[in-house]
């Protein structure tokens, strides 16, 4: 990794992105011109229970590794919860202790630097709009991340509407991320076909509600898209995210450089 130093937030062409998930915490340095990672991607397991102090400590360890040769870069952190005015106001796959917490301020205290703080799927949507599958796409784009939960980012003509939380749509009496997230496939040992049946119901419901122009599917499983996307029968085009599981890191980094605080 080459040394990167002394860049201010407003002129930054590189930044650090950290993506906190229910299973793993990942981070890297991002080139904001090319939208590529320019350091190794560091990944640590999300501490069991997902409690605030533990997650912040693990994030600190991760940041120390990522930023070893990169001082003063803007830092963006994205998190799997509704983020409003720096507060986390939901917690689906992390400890309920996050609900109502001034999380941005807590991270800033723990990491000892200012951060930009956003929802993880919103960061991924922002990255795909800026560097990926949604670049220049007109109309309504819905990006979903299929992982521990289902995250969503809603874009209209490239503009993000934050905190849509469409993974929690109630379908057939279920909070549907518990049925259709990739974790449900793994937990219940579902075949690609069985899982695709649930995705069919999920994306048909989104389609009926939003009439989108494009669906983008992210999350780690999107690298195996050929096993399930062709099984879906939708009016809307549905394609894998360009940045797959790195979109959160890219988006968090890009947001940090664009909206310094
Ligand atoms: C959370 C969202 C998050 C998604 C993906 C859901 O359970 O409610 O905020 O974006 O998981 O991590």
């Amino acid at each position: 990794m080459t040394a990167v130093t002394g860049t201010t937030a407003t002129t930054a062409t590189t930044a650090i992105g950290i993506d906190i998930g229910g299973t793993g915490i990942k981070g890297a340095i991002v080139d904001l011109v090319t939208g590529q990672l320019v350091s190794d991607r560091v990944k640590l397991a999300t501490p069991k229970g997902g409690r605030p102090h533990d997650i912040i400590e693990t994030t600190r360890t991760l940041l120390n590794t990522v930023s070893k040769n990169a001082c003063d870069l803007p830092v963006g952190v994205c998190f799997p919860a509704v983020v409003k005015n720096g507060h986390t106001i939901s917690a689906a796959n992390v400890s309920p202790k996050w609900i109502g917490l001034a999380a941005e301020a807590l991270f800033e205290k723990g990491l000892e630097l200012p951060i930009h703080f956003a929802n993880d799927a919103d960061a991924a949507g922002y990255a795909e709009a800026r560097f990926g599958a949604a670049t220049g796409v007109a109309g309504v784009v819905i990006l979903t991340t299929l992982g521990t939960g289902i995250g969503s980012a809603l874009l209209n003509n490239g503009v993000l509407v934050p905190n849509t939380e469409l993974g929690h749509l109630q379908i057939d009496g279920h909070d549907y991320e518990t049925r259709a997230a990739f974790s449900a496939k793994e937990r219940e040992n579902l075949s690609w076909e069985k899982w695709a049946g649930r995705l069919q119901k999920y994306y048909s419901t989104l389609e009926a509600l939003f009439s989108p122009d494009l669906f983008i599917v992210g999350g780690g499983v999107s690298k195996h898209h050929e096993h399930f996307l062709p099984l879906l029968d939708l009016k809307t085009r549905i394609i894998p995210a360009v940045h797959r599981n790195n979109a959160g890191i890219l988006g968090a980094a890009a947001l940090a450089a664009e909206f310094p605080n």
Side-chain angles (χ1 to χ4, degrees):
M1 183 167 54
T2 47
V4 192
T5 51
T7 319
T8 63
T10 40
T11 58
T13 53
T14 45
I16 293 173
I18 298 179
D19 181 0
I20 297 176
T23 315
I25 303 181
K26 312 179 281 270
I29 301 175
V30 175
D31 181 325
L32 300 171
V33 179
T34 62
Q36 300 297 322
L37 305 190
V38 290
S39 72
D40 290 339
R41 189 176 85 141
V42 181
K43 183 170 178 181
L44 299 175
T46 304
K48 222 169 171 301
R51 282 178 294 272
H53 176 265
D54 300 341
I55 287 193
I56 292 170
E57 271 308 300
T58 305
T59 306
R60 185 183 164 90
T61 306
L62 183 138
L63 179 64
N64 285 341
T65 310
V66 172
S67 67
K68 230 177 5 218
N69 299 317
C71 311
D72 299 338
L73 293 183
V75 175
V77 176
C78 64
F79 193 86
V82 172
V83 174
K84 207 78 187 151
N85 303 322
H87 289 64
T88 37
I89 57 173
S90 70
N93 294 299
V94 285
S95 158
K97 290 196 178 356
W98 287 96
I99 299 173
L101 218 60
E104 179 169 353
L106 279 181
F107 274 103
E108 291 187 333
K109 192 160 171 244
L111 303 178
E112 296 176 72
L113 43 74
I115 62 163
H116 184 94
F117 192 58
N119 171 265
D120 58 350
D122 284 340
Y126 189 77
E128 290 293 330
R130 186 151 159 197
F131 312 111
T135 307
V137 178
V140 173
V141 176
I142 297 179
L143 169 131
T144 53
T145 58
L146 302 175
T148 313
I150 297 183
S152 65
L154 178 68
L155 299 156
N156 186 32
N157 293 329
V159 177
L160 178 72
V161 180
N163 292 316
T164 44
E165 292 291 322
L166 298 176
H168 298 294
L169 275 182
Q170 292 283 329
I171 306 174
D172 296 342
H174 299 279
D175 173 339
Y176 219 65
E177 77 165 20
T178 64
R179 306 273 297 157
F182 179 59
S183 60
K185 178 183 186 310
E186 291 202 302
R187 191 174 54 244
E188 298 180 46
N189 208 7
L190 301 176
S191 63
W192 291 111
E193 290 72 20
K194 258 242 139 78
W195 186 49
R198 295 185 184 183
L199 294 175
Q200 176 67 41
K201 183 160 272 189
Y202 179 62
Y203 287 108
S204 305
T205 305
L206 284 181
E207 191 167 58
L209 292 174
F210 292 95
S211 303
D213 296 286
L214 179 67
F215 282 124
I216 300 174
V217 179
V221 71
S222 61
K223 68 171 169 283
H224 302 299
H225 59 92
E226 71 281 4
H227 293 299
F228 61 98
L229 291 189
L231 305 181
L232 303 181
D233 181 17
L234 299 161
K235 292 187 229 72
T236 312
R237 199 156 72 92
I238 183 161
I239 59 172
V242 168
H243 297 290
R244 313 272 156 90
N245 225 6
N246 286 340
I249 296 176
L250 295 176
L255 285 164
E258 217 116 314
F259 303 103
N261 47 1

